[in-house]
Amino acid sequence: MTLTSDSAVLDLVTSAGNGDVVPYTSYPLDSSRVLLGLVNLVRRAERDTAPERADANLCSLISPRVFRSLLNSLLFRDPATLRHSQRVGRLATGLAKYLGWEDRNLRAIQIAALLHDLGKVGVPDSILFKPARLNSDELRLMTKSYLIGVDLLEMCRVDPLIIRIITDSHHRYSREPGGNAIFSDIHQGARILVVADAYESLSNDQVFRRAKAHDEILKLLNENAGTQFDGNIVSALQRWIHTYGPPALDGTMNDDDSLIHYYQPASDAELAEAANFSHLFSYMQTLDELYDGFSIIDCSRRMLVWNRGAVKTHRRPAREVLNTIWKPQVFGYADDRGVPLATSQCPLEAIFATGSSYAATLNMTDGEGEPVSVELQAFPLIDRNQRLQAVAEIYRRTERDEASNVSPEVHALKMMASRDALTRVANRGELDSQIEQLLKKYNSESQSEVFSVIFVDADHFKSINDKHGHTVGDQVLVELARLLQHESYSGEIIGRYGGEEFIVLCPATDVELAVRKSERFRMSIQSMRFADYPSLRITASFGVSQVVNGDTVASLVERADKALYQAKQTGRNRTCHLMTTDARRSAHRFSTDEEEDPLRLMQRFYIGVGQSVVPKMAGFVEAHRAKLLVVEPGRVKMQCGQGTIFGMWGWTNSTRPVILEIVLPELLEEQRGHASRRGPNSPEAICVTIQPKGRPNSQAIFQNRAKLLMQDLKSYLVPCDRQPGMGV
């Protein structure tokens, strides 16, 4: 079968067997006929939603006939693209199954993989098969084509899960700047699809490069893990391949694939329909380039099509518009002077009355009640029997937003403005923007989801620069950022706050879970090794805080910074967090001086040179009936006060247990292999923290008891003044 066309007529011809060609169909290629093909596709999708028409193998995710038609369109446009999609589907479903996906979700990711390149149906050969890097205009057209493919799937009533996977797969794993989506919103199915797509593409020859070997592909995926790809999905792919061997990507289909009958060769009639789809894509691309949105209303005044451009122009979600009955008062039609139009003067009613096209500049009311000025064109969709089937409306805002037409070069500049130049993670400005978005979401939803901030600081980083040089120091920061990205698998946002400080923003994470994440980060950092510097070791300290009502970006980050300071002061290489009471006070009194926590007493002081802490503590332990919980070089933790045979009921204010922790920060650092920063005659720094075990009867009673304990402890340890000029 051969497709030929001129500027006005489309001829689909078949071979007559003797070398001649016989016309299959021939008709003018006008807007009405092209959009009628879309109307028929949508109606077919709606009819197939009936249970008796459903295909159990498709799990009601997509109309069987629409699915077959879309696959035929890919086959007609470029058989290699369909084969690529089939191989990606095999990879994506295998990887998803390995990760525990089942049943309907597994089928959804397979269908998403098969249709993720649907937008290529409308891409010209000069771009689709270009044997070189695409220029900025070509890249922009490719991006628009992908979006048009998603548009068509939505019009065909494809399940939202498939739409979500395909849409999210066209975002980079590291969230692009300037968007409204939160990074953690990228669906796991999309992350799987991106990795499967990249692996398949790299394993086969392309017009612009040769195929790469398996090990080389994995190396490239790992190098881009945490930025372009989800590092945990890449690791899962490696484990899957290590366990079951590299997948067969030879283009053959599995006999046990229940969708195999959808891949059967297309009939002549199906190929004719596929040819029309190609023109539908091209037409939708033209609409997307020149206008801001379009809709189609059938003769019963039912909203049949409402594309993403119409959603953006009118600020009305498709779910609120599709299948509803068109009502002029909903859209608030008015002329360019603001005078409301009578129902008979509205574009739709005018076309039903006259059968003629319509064009005017109108004021309409969007979904938020705001006026929007549009150039509106409307025209009837007439079938070949000259019957009116539907009306199409095309919208163009009089004040167009050109942001969607920015070139890749401008986009690259925006990326540079949001990324740290050294580590390529988010910079401080982007972090603030992301926290601001999460705060808005937290404050605007009645069932708001908490999130947490983790402040990370590399310990003794200056000594690395001093000993090994700034080049090595920079490499340590790059590796530290990469480790944080690889160890993040729940949508965390990693950013460099400045110097050796990083922030991990954790959506949908309370403080307890954030502390556990911090500990995982801390242990991984402690285990880092550097091939060129085998003796180099690093540790990091962590401060954690959870959002509370009334928080601002500044108060939330400041609270995490205070927790980090506490971790630094109590020995480094540890995680500290502020209690909920601390958080609430910090949010509401952020501008005041630092206050003490009523449920924690913490003091730092010094003891004289040569004093031994443990012998001096023996009398204190005996006097307060203390139970030692932790005894290690540089740290002692004990419970002062004990329960009675009556449990909690036997406690008095003077015997209620409290937890007392003593830390010698400098000794801890020396035990971890860091050079001592104090002179031989320097006093020993001690940090003491006292907290209640359980909930005390009152904060005042706890404070009184804690202060008495602290005073008694000092009588045993005998604090001294810090000598001037001595480092800590």
Side-chain angles (χ1 to χ4, degrees):
M1 181 169 286
T2 308
L3 180 68
T4 64
S5 65
D6 57 30
S7 60
V9 178
L10 170 70
D11 290 319
L12 190 61
V13 296
T14 60
S15 173
N18 57 1
D20 298 327
V21 292
V22 178
Y24 188 85
T25 59
S26 179
Y27 54 82
L29 186 61
D30 59 18
S31 301
S32 181
R33 292 189 185 277
V34 171
L35 289 181
L36 272 178
L38 176 59
V39 170
N40 291 332
L41 191 66
V42 173
R43 287 173 174 168
R44 184 185 306 168
E46 291 180 332
R47 286 194 298 269
D48 284 353
T49 57
E52 63 273 12
R53 290 179 176 268
D55 183 346
N57 292 319
L58 294 177
C59 304
S60 301
L61 292 162
I62 187 173
S63 154
R65 290 187 296 169
V66 168
F67 184 48
R68 170 74 172 171
S69 296
L70 297 179
L71 291 179
N72 285 336
S73 299
L74 281 168
L75 176 65
F76 181 84
R77 180 64 187 90
D78 177 34
T81 298
L82 179 59
R83 289 195 296 270
H84 160 74
S85 298
Q86 290 170 337
R87 292 191 293 265
V88 172
R90 184 183 300 180
L91 266 173
T93 51
L95 183 53
K97 189 174 183 179
Y98 179 75
L99 290 171
W101 286 43
E102 296 178 339
D103 305 329
R104 192 172 189 270
N105 289 334
L106 205 58
R107 184 64 76 200
I109 198 170
Q110 181 182 12
I111 296 172
L114 288 167
L115 299 178
H116 77 284
D117 274 342
L118 184 63
K120 288 184 178 179
V121 170
V123 177
D125 287 358
S126 59
I127 297 176
L128 191 60
F129 304 119
K130 183 178 179 179
R133 186 182 297 273
L134 300 181
N135 61 41
S136 60
D137 291 332
E138 292 165 340
L139 284 171
R140 188 164 63 88
L141 188 141
M142 285 290 289
T143 300
K144 284 183 175 290
S145 297
Y146 283 125
L147 294 174
I148 289 169
V150 172
D151 237 1
L152 187 63
L153 292 174
E154 289 181 327
M155 294 172 191
C156 292
R157 312 308 195 251
V158 174
D159 191 88
L161 176 57
I162 295 175
I163 303 294
R164 172 78 183 279
I165 292 173
I166 294 176
T167 302
D168 284 5
S169 71
H170 293 300
H171 296 293
R172 288 179 67 87
Y173 178 72
S174 55
R175 197 195 66 81
E176 297 180 357
N180 294 321
I182 300 298
F183 172 71
S184 59
D185 289 341
I186 298 178
H187 196 278
Q188 187 189 49
R191 301 179 185 187
I192 293 173
L193 178 55
V194 167
V195 171
D197 190 20
Y199 185 96
E200 196 287 328
S201 178
L202 291 167
S203 65
N204 285 276
D205 290 337
Q206 306 295 330
V207 292
F208 51 88
R209 59 155 173 77
R210 303 292 296 174
K212 297 183 181 298
H214 167 72
D215 291 342
E216 190 176 0
I217 295 173
L218 290 181
K219 182 175 181 291
L220 287 171
L221 294 178
N222 275 301
E223 287 175 352
N224 291 279
T227 54
Q228 187 174 354
F229 309 112
D230 183 340
N232 293 281
I233 301 298
V234 174
S235 297
L237 175 69
Q238 289 181 272
R239 294 193 301 271
W240 178 48
I241 292 176
H242 178 75
T243 304
Y244 299 103
L249 299 176
D250 54 4
T252 60
M253 298 307 299
N254 294 334
D255 293 336
D256 60 350
D257 187 346
S258 57
L259 301 184
I260 194 168
H261 61 283
Y262 286 101
Y263 311 136
Q264 300 304 315
S267 66
D268 287 348
E270 287 177 322
L271 287 177
E273 182 186 49
N276 290 339
F277 277 150
S278 295
H279 289 279
L280 172 61
F281 272 94
S282 297
Y283 184 75
M284 290 177 65
Q285 204 165 57
T286 301
L287 290 180
D288 193 77
E289 187 71 26
L290 298 178
Y291 305 100
D292 293 311
F294 74 93
S295 63
I296 298 177
I297 305 101
D298 68 14
C299 291
S300 63
R301 292 168 174 74
R302 185 169 64 97
M303 302 297 297
L304 201 63
V305 170
W306 186 256
N307 83 327
R308 60 185 167 81
V311 170
K312 183 177 179 180
T313 299
H314 296 279
R315 293 198 282 191
R316 296 180 187 274
R319 65 179 180 274
E320 296 180 4
V321 176
L322 288 177
N323 297 321
T324 62
I325 300 301
W326 174 88
K327 295 178 181 178
Q329 58 268 31
V330 172
F331 295 97
Y333 294 95
D335 63 21
D336 55 359
R337 297 169 299 172
V339 178
L341 299 182
T343 299
S344 60
Q345 296 175 309
C346 293
L348 184 68
E349 295 297 342
I351 290 178
F352 281 146
T354 66
S356 301
S357 297
Y358 178 104
T361 298
L362 299 177
N363 289 308
M364 302 176 69
T365 304
D366 67 18
E368 298 182 6
E370 298 294 327
V372 54
S373 177
V374 298
E375 296 175 10
L376 189 150
Q377 297 182 50
F379 52 89
L381 303 184
I382 309 294
D383 65 18
R384 64 182 60 197
N385 296 318
Q386 301 304 306
R387 292 177 302 190
L388 177 65
Q389 293 291 330
V391 173
E393 289 188 350
I394 300 175
Y395 315 104
R396 187 180 192 276
R397 294 191 300 274
T398 55
E399 296 181 2
R400 299 195 73 192
D401 178 12
E402 301 297 338
S404 59
N405 294 321
V406 297
S407 68
E409 289 83 359
V410 174
H411 177 75
L413 289 174
K414 290 184 177 181
M415 286 290 290
M416 290 174 62
S418 68
R419 298 291 168 193
D420 175 63
L422 175 65
T423 62
R424 307 307 301 159
V425 296
N427 60 20
R428 183 168 179 171
E430 179 68 4
L431 280 171
D432 287 346
S433 175
Q434 288 289 298
I435 297 173
E436 184 67 37
Q437 288 188 46
L438 284 174
L439 280 172
K440 286 181 180 178
K441 188 175 180 181
Y442 175 78
N443 292 322
S444 64
E445 297 178 0
S446 56
Q447 298 294 326
S448 54
E449 201 168 39
V450 299
F451 65 93
S452 297
V453 167
I454 301 174
F455 218 131
V456 188
D457 186 279
D459 295 330
H460 301 293
F461 185 73
K462 184 178 182 299
S463 65
I464 295 176
N465 281 333
D466 292 343
K467 183 177 181 180
H468 300 282
H470 288 277
T471 300
V472 175
D474 287 349
Q475 186 58 38
V476 167
L477 293 177
V478 170
E479 293 299 325
L480 179 56
R482 184 172 297 172
L483 180 143
L484 291 173
Q485 290 174 317
H486 284 199
E487 289 292 326
S488 303
Y489 52 80
S490 302
E492 294 89 346
I493 301 168
I494 314 297
R496 186 181 178 195
Y497 201 68
E500 66 272 23
E501 294 179 333
F502 293 83
I503 278 183
V504 182
L505 182 56
C506 306
T509 304
D510 62 21
V511 68
E512 292 183 3
L513 180 56
V515 167
R516 291 200 294 271
K517 288 182 179 183
S518 298
E519 282 297 287
R520 189 180 73 248
F521 291 145
R522 187 181 66 81
M523 297 300 292
S524 297
I525 292 171
Q526 189 173 268
S527 302
M528 286 179 68
R529 297 295 182 266
F530 301 88
D532 295 333
Y533 301 91
S535 63
L536 178 58
R537 300 287 187 272
I538 67 168
T539 60
S541 301
F542 295 79
V544 180
S545 183
Q546 174 186 307
V547 67
V548 296
N549 292 333
D551 255 332
T552 64
V553 174
S555 66
L556 181 58
V557 173
E558 176 71 12
R559 201 161 58 247
D561 190 32
K562 288 181 180 179
L564 174 63
Y565 178 79
Q566 181 180 333
K568 289 285 190 181
Q569 293 299 306
T570 54
R572 294 184 172 87
N573 191 23
R574 64 188 308 176
T575 299
C576 289
H577 68 281
L578 293 183
M579 304 291 286
T580 304
T581 51
D582 299 329
R584 190 170 292 112
R585 184 189 316 105
S586 179
H588 292 296
R589 303 182 184 179
F590 175 62
S591 60
T592 64
D593 295 334
E594 182 177 354
E595 301 178 19
E596 292 184 352
D597 176 8
L599 295 182
R600 181 195 293 118
L601 179 63
M602 178 178 171
Q603 289 188 13
R604 181 185 176 95
F605 52 89
Y606 298 86
I607 60 175
V609 180
Q611 290 196 44
S612 180
V613 174
V614 175
K616 287 179 172 290
M617 289 295 301
F620 178 85
V621 170
E622 183 178 353
H624 292 276
R625 296 188 297 169
K627 178 182 178 181
L628 295 176
L629 304 176
V630 176
V631 178
E632 58 186 28
R635 180 170 173 252
V636 177
K637 189 174 184 179
M638 67 186 75
Q639 174 182 303
C640 298
Q642 299 178 1
T644 70
I645 59 173
F646 302 106
M648 293 176 60
W649 299 105
W651 286 345
T652 65
N653 291 333
S654 61
T655 62
R656 180 178 294 273
V658 297
I659 303 299
L660 185 148
E661 184 176 23
I662 301 173
V663 174
L664 285 71
E666 292 148 350
L667 180 57
L668 276 179
E669 292 300 302
E670 293 168 11
Q671 290 292 323
R672 291 167 182 163
H674 297 293
S676 176
R677 301 179 64 187
R678 59 191 176 98
N681 297 317
S682 298
E684 183 81 53
I686 287 187
C687 185
V688 180
T689 304
I690 302 176
Q691 293 179 280
K693 180 177 181 180
R695 193 74 183 174
N697 293 334
S698 75
Q699 295 177 359
I701 291 174
F702 164 74
Q703 281 287 327
N704 288 335
R705 174 139 192 251
K707 289 176 181 177
L708 289 173
L709 274 176
M710 187 72 74
Q711 183 178 350
D712 195 36
L713 177 65
K714 288 181 178 180
S715 71
Y716 284 89
L717 296 179
V718 191
C720 68
D721 292 332
R722 181 186 181 188
Q723 294 181 12
M726 296 300 175
V728 178

